[in-house]
Every structure is written in structure tokens, then in C-alpha cells.
Amino acid sequence: MKEVLEKIHKFFKKYEHLKLILILLLIGLISFQLRAQPADMGFSENEKLKEMFSDENGRMYLVALDPYYYLRLTENYYNHGHLGETLKYIDGKWVPYDTCQYAPPGHPITRSVPAITYATIIVYEIWHSIDPTVTLMNAAFWIPPLLSILLGIPIFFIVRRVTRSNIGGVVGALTIVSTPALLYKTSAGFADTPIFEILPILFIVWFIMEALHNQRDLKLSLVCTVLATLTMTLAPRMWAGWWYGYYVVGVFLVLYAVYTFLISRYGDKISLPLLVDDIKRLLPILSIFIVGGALLISLLYGVNVFIGGILSPFEFIKIKETTKVTGWPNVFTTVSELQTPTIEEIVNEALGNAPLFILGILGILTSFISMRYEKEDIKVDLKYALLLTIWLAATYYAATKGVRFIGLMTPPLSIGVGIFIGQLVNVINRRDDELINWIIYPTVGIFFLYTLFKTLPEIPKIVLPTTYVPIAAYGFLLVLGILGIYKITDIVVSHNNRMKKVVTLLLALSLVLPPLASAVPFYTAPTFNNGWKEGLDWIKEETPNNTVITCWWDNGHIYTWATRKMVTFDGGSQNSPRAYWVGRAFATSNENLSVGIIRMLATSGDKAFERGGILMNYTNNNVSMTVKILNEILPVSRSKAYEILTEKYHLSDEDARTLLNYTHPENPNPDYLITYNRMTDIASVWSMFGFWDFDLPPETPNYKREQGFYMRLSGGDGFLINDSFVIRIPIQKRDNYMIVNLIVIKNNTLHSYDIVYNVNRNAIVGENITGFHKVIVKHGDKLYNNVFNENGVYSLIVRVEPLDNKTYLTYAWISTRNLEDSIYTKLHFLDGAGLKHIKLVKATWDPTHPGIQPGFKIYRVDYGKKYLN
């Protein structure tokens, strides 16, 4: 047996490159496996529900919202050879044109074909040649996990270069592939840019580090520099924020060049024990990357792209200041990904927990200590620490601007974790004294046992998180088994260092098991589903080509992809004046105003209120006055609006008629409104914009502005008693009592009472006329409402659906008073009851959120002709 183990050990020693390949495969495959988990659709055990979130071949739809934007561009490029829905002749040339986004009139697509489009098409062509049922969406689904195979490779080599420790490299690599800040956004189905936000800078930093390390080998150093520069050149195709990698590495090279020059010239005088490469060897690296990168980016994408990238940090600094500049409300203040995180949130979310964050910082700080060679003295090498510090500082600043950017911190911190472990392994290997025997060994042992106890139930899932892709699942097991055999033989054969090898292995396992355990099981449900598909297919097939979909911005990308029809605004254009106008259309109780807003947006877009337009010039760019005038003229007829403009505001005849062509067009585009269940939960957002007071200071915090909200109530029932219909809605429940709102409809009159019921005594202890301002009930085709408390702050909205002849299901919501008669209330809860111009035309199932079913609703807006009078 001993001879067999020694042969195995000699084999791996002889073929070191084989061990290295296996390690890289291990890192890549576990990264893929973790990200492939959503494909199992573990979010539900209900097969019917799973079918709602998958296509006809049982493949899950994309998750999140922005992936559908890239999918639409990819389908356009694959089918037409350009990213737009069409080509338009602009300024003497044909350019791709997006006719769907920000309608009308859409916009030219000036960006280059994104890397995700190329990657999706490559995967599609290969996969589709094997399986004809595969679609571009199916291919896009797998882009993030496929690319994530590369995620840990640069980390491994960077840590290995700094510490000469394979164990440190593996720990750093497994840290980044399992961190929650990246896992969701780089998982299967999230076919968006986050994977491209991380990969380029990882490879750029790796290549630059190799170039610096091999300065004395000019040829190899230049090759590595060129690779870094080419990767930098490809970055603009991957992500709009490509410039941060250019800044991080560029600033580092300049500072390191200055440092090297100073040390070369004055090092002896200040007695720094540092061996410094001559400044002449650094200049080619600096000039090729900074100057060469600038030239290549300018040549490939245009000088404007490079200059725009260079100026982007100054725009990034002002990301939350848009309101003060434009006068319009800033949607970014309500986007969850752009909410300002606390320091605690940054620390906990960057790597999943505070201890790993601290280890990452310590690793970066200790990276200036070189212990790469066992027989050499400890040396100081500043370049790694300097680069990692600049990288971490830049990404930390980005993280303070929004939760969405915390993930950018994970690469330098993961490298830091790997370096810390690598340095600790070096310390263990160098020493053989009481510190090792009586402190480090027991500490590591206890730490490992504690970690094993906490993560033991998850270890089988870590080893086999999914079998959805068998070649990846069983390939990973095979690689893990081979490396396991190697490590066991290495420990057994190494007589002198056996304990050290065991301890370093246990140390590595103690650090990688917790984040891996937190990454399994992992699943997420898509937003798009077959219920929505049915409704959106109806719009695509049954409505005119010039149809406009008015919606809140969040699902706009899904609607444009599914229907190829225009939308008012979406996730790529949400921070615009339309946030106010669409919010106003839903929040107002004035149907004529709502229809006027929709008519204006659907036909003339922003022309009535754009900067440099008639109204903004008339009001000297006073947004508040512009909005006031439009709110006056949009609900009324064209003749009345003309009278207001010319007699009250003294606009010229020409200006008034031109403006009315925008607000009261003769041939408006048809419009369809969409509501869905989650809109109820985010009412505080769209209603805040709809109720926006432009006269308040722009810096007024959102919580001080008028908002509305709905609170869904569970339970409730309805039944007939003689000639009365009775509804019971539980409002509040405590340990000893509960409050029930009792609604009685008799002779077409609605009565409402608040009943206090003692649970312990099983008796009614109080009865009063309800304290709600208004109670609204929709029962079949009939709508009942009554005001009960003039001073009431809240109202009650009830919708009754028959289950059979005797029992009824109720949906109930408590509403703020300002939304009780809103257009949204009348649409989504009451199916348009009481509205003259907005009619429900299609309703389908909405499995994404609890609420009304069917809960995905489409309404046609009938402008009529009277507004032209």
C-alpha cells in the first residue's frame, strides 16, 4: 500500500501541471454548479407552478428584468444583423433604431454590440446544432454560469503569485465564487452584465501583476501587458462602467512608477530594505496600458466613448443629485439597488460576513510582505498591496453610492482572504516552535471542528448542488476525488511535514465551507411567466403596430421583449419626467387627467415639457409651473385648453396650437395600460411621484413627501342572509381579541361596522360604525361605496368573488385616503368600474405575487373624440 501511495505521489510531483489543471477545473466546476442551481426550480414543489415559469420544453425563463433587454437586442442582432428593431437614416447613414424603448419616438442605438450578445449567440449555435428546440433565451440563461467558470482562475493565480501557496489561491477563488454579493447576479437565468463587471478587471489585474513580476524578462512582461491592454479594450463591450478598471490600474501604475523612481534614487538614503526594478523596465508597461488602451478604445469605439469613460467618475459622484439639476423627481432615490447602504451592510454583504471581510483587509495589508521562498529572508514588496488598496478603495466608494455596487468589492477582498491564508500557510511552513505546536495547531483544530459542526448538513449539497448538467456534476465529483486522493497521499508520504499539511488543509476547509454552505441550496423564481405571456401575446398579436404600453418602469424590458411594442419607460430610462406623469396617471382620481396624460405620452412623448420646448421656455425652465399648466389643460377639451393657454397664460396663437398638437393630438397612438399584483405593494413609490409637490425643496427626503399605500388583508368571507349580503373582514387580531369589519349590503345600500370580538369569552364586546373614511365593495357587476368617517385616514376596499352559490371569496385592502378613488384602485381592484374611457380587455394569471387572480390586467384607453372639440 505504501508503495502505491508513493507512486501516486511521484506521479503528481512529476506532472505538476496536471495538478494545476485539476485545481482550476475544481474551481471552475464548483462555480458553475453553484450557479446552475436555479435551473432545478427549487422555489416550489408544485409542478403546475413550475410549468408557469418555464417554456414549452420545461426550461425556466430568465430571472430579473434587465436580462430581457439584452435578450431583445440579441434576438434583433441574430435575426437582422443589428441591435435595433429597424434601421433609420440619420445624419447621412443608416443606424440601428430602437422603436420600443421610451416611446415615442424611440432612439438610435449608438452602443456597440455587447459581449453578452456574442456570448449568447455562440452558445446558441453550438447547443441548437445538437437540440433544435433550444432558443436564444435558453442559451442566454446559461451565459452567467458558463462564464463564471473563469471567475476564480485569476484570483487563484494572483494569490499564488503573491504567496506561492496553492491552498491560499484555492481559498481566494472559492471565496469569490460563493459570495452572496455575486452569486444571485451571476447565476443561471440572470443574463445581465454583472459577470462582465467582474471578469475584465480580474484578468487585467492578473496580467498586470504578471507583467510587473516578470519585468526582467522583457518579452514575457510585454506579452502580459499587451494581454491586459487587450482585455481593457474589450471591456467597453461588456459593461458601461468599464472605465473603473482603467482608472484603478492606470492610477496604480503611475503611483508605482513614482514610487519606483523615488526608491531607485533615494532608497539608500532612507535605508529601505527593498530590491527595486529599474524605472526603465516599468515605463513600457505603463505606456502600453495607459496610452495603448486609450488609443485602442478610441479607435474601436470612438473618441467620445473613451472621453465619456474618463469623465464618467464625475457623473457617478452625482448619481443621486439629478433632482437638483433637472427639477424633476429622481427615480434613482427609490431603486432598491441604488439605496445608500450602511457601513455594516457593506461589511456584511461584500463577502457574506464580517470575519471574511476583516480577513480580506488583513490579507491586503500583509501582501506587502513577501514570504514566497522558504529559504529566503522576509522581504518587502509594495506593488501588490498598493494595487489591491487602490482597487478596494475605489470599489468601497462605489459601494457607498448604492447596494448594487457592493459586489465590485468582492474581487480585491477575495484576493485578500486568499493572501491572508497563503501568508499564514507560509508562517506555518517556516516555523516549528511553540507558536505552531501550542497555539496555531489547536486553534485551527477547534475552528475546523466548529465549522464542520455548523456546515455538516450542507456538505452533500456542496459536493453535489445540482445534477441538472450531468457532465458538470459528475465531472466535479471526479476532479474532487482525484485531488482528494492526491492530498491524502501527499499527507501520508510527507513524514516530516505531515502535521503542517493537515493543519493547512483544515484551515482552508474552515474558511471555504461556511460560504459554500450558505450558497446551497440556491434558487430564484423568474418574473416572466406563462400567465404574463398569455396577456403579452395578446397585445403582440391583437393590437396595432403603433400601440404604446403605459406601465410603471420596472417591467418595461419584459413588455418590449414579449410584445415588440412601444413602452412609456423602462429600466433603461426610468429616471425621467415620465416617472411623475405615469405616477400621476395612476394616482389621480381624475379620469380625464389620466387619459390626457396617457394620450400625451403615447403620441408626443416628452415634447410638451422638454427643456427648450414651448412651455419650458415660457416658464423660464420652471418645472413646477410647466406641470401646473399641463395639469390644467390635459383633462379638458382642445378648445378649452386653447382658451386657458391664450387668455390665462397669454401664449401666442402659434405656440398654443403647437403645444396642443402634443397634448391633444388628432391622431393619437393607441394605448394599453398594464397593472399587476406587485404594483399594489409598490404603491408608495409610484404614488409619491404622482403626488409630487414641485414647490417643495428638491432635497426634501422622500419620507416627508405625500405617499399612498395599500395593505392587503387576509381572510374574510361573504354570505347571503335573507335579503342582505354580509361580508366579514378581519382587520386586526391580538391574543385576547380581534376586530372584524362587518359590511352589510341591503337594498343597494352599504353599511359598515367595526366589531370587537373577545376571543377568550367568545363574545362581541363592542360595535361601532366603522372608522374608515370610505368603504368600497365590488360585488359582481355592481359597485357599492359609502363615506362613513369624514376624518378617517384610511379606507377599505373589498372585492367579492363567488366560489359557489352560497360562499364567496373576498379580497380586501386597507388604502390610504389619497388612493381610495385613484385610477389604480378603480383599475386593478375594481376592473375599471366607474371609468368611461379605460376598459379591461384582458386578464391573466399572475403567479409572481399574492393578490387578485387573475392579477395581470390589460386595459384599453379610449380617448374618444370629444377632447378635440
Side-chain angles (χ1 to χ4, degrees), residues 547-566:
T547 288
V548 175
I549 299 171
T550 295
C551 58
W552 193 240
W553 67 265
D554 49 0
N555 293 318
H557 287 320
I558 291 179
Y559 302 158
T560 55
W561 167 76
T563 67
R564 289 307 198 271
K565 300 292 171 71
M566 299 183 283

Side-chain angles (χ1 to χ4, degrees), residues 178-181 345-357 410 515 518:
S178 59
T179 178
E345 287 173 329
I346 292 174
V347 169
N348 287 329
E349 292 183 24
L351 290 182
N353 57 66
L356 275 181
F357 185 93
T410 58
S518 67

Side-chain angles (χ1 to χ4, degrees), residues 231-248:
T231 306
M232 187 69 255
T233 305
L234 293 174
R237 285 194 183 274
M238 300 183 185
W239 183 41
W242 61 269
W243 45 266
Y244 96 98
Y246 184 81
Y247 266 105
V248 167

Side-chain angles (χ1 to χ4, degrees), residues 603-622:
T603 308
S604 64
D606 296 352
K607 288 183 178 180
F609 48 85
E610 65 185 355
R611 186 172 288 270
I614 290 170
L615 265 188
M616 287 294 276
N617 285 340
Y618 168 78
T619 62
N620 293 319
N621 293 320
N622 185 319

Side-chain angles (χ1 to χ4, degrees), residues 63-69 190 192 527 532 553-555 557-558:
V63 301
L65 308 170
D66 288 354
Y68 288 92
Y69 170 72
F190 204 102
D192 201 349
T527 301
W532 287 26
W553 67 265
D554 49 0
N555 293 318
H557 287 320
I558 291 179

Side-chain angles (χ1 to χ4, degrees), residues 327 622-628 691-700 705:
N622 185 319
V623 174
S624 178
M625 179 58 70
T626 298
V627 168
K628 179 179 182 295
F691 294 132
W692 196 267
D693 185 346
F694 290 89
D695 294 326
L696 288 175
E699 63 274 12
T700 302
R705 292 187 176 273

